Amino acid sequence: MTKYIIRGDRSGVFYGEITEQKGQEVTIKNCRRLWSWDGAASLSQLASEGTKRPDNCRFTVTVESLTVLDAIELIPCTAEAVASIEEVKEWRVN
């Protein structure tokens, strides 16, 4: 299944597999919020090449399912980007 970076108008940026879309409402499984990233100049580069600095990224824990109500951009990820993004450790408070 294709992985995507989904940008919400106000809700933030997400990464995962789109299971359903109805206009701007997008349901994502195996979803992580991309809080901050380094090593890519834009979301387009992140979806195309991944991050060059995975240790400087803050990607949250993975949730089973999440619905974004304000999606304004859906960017399919390349295999290279998927490998890079999934290499980033889950950002969490211990």
Side-chain angles (χ1 to χ4, degrees):
M1 184 169 249
T2 303
K3 305 270 183 143
Y4 287 84
I5 292 177
I6 298 96
R7 182 167 66 101
D9 185 36
R10 294 185 175 178
S11 60
V13 178
F14 305 88
Y15 166 80
E17 303 161 23
I18 296 174
T19 59
E20 188 174 356
Q21 180 185 2
K22 295 178 189 169
Q24 287 188 294
E25 184 175 309
V26 178
T27 301
I28 311 161
K29 76 175 191 177
N30 302 319
C31 180
R32 294 178 80 178
R33 185 181 306 262
L34 307 185
W35 186 262
S36 67
W37 57 91
D38 190 12
S42 67
L43 292 178
S44 298
Q45 184 181 10
L46 188 61
S48 177
E49 301 171 9
T51 174
K52 306 299 183 214
R53 299 183 189 111
D55 291 337
N56 290 335
C57 295
R58 290 184 173 180
F59 299 168
T60 66
V61 298
T62 302
V63 295
E64 185 176 319
S65 181
L66 185 137
T67 301
V68 176
L69 303 177
D70 63 347
I72 58 172
E73 190 172 19
L74 311 173
I75 312 168
C77 295
T78 65
E80 176 186 3
V82 168
S84 173
I85 291 167
E86 293 184 358
E87 172 185 310
V88 175
K89 292 179 186 174
E90 290 185 342
W91 175 51
R92 58 176 67 220
V93 176
N94 293 321

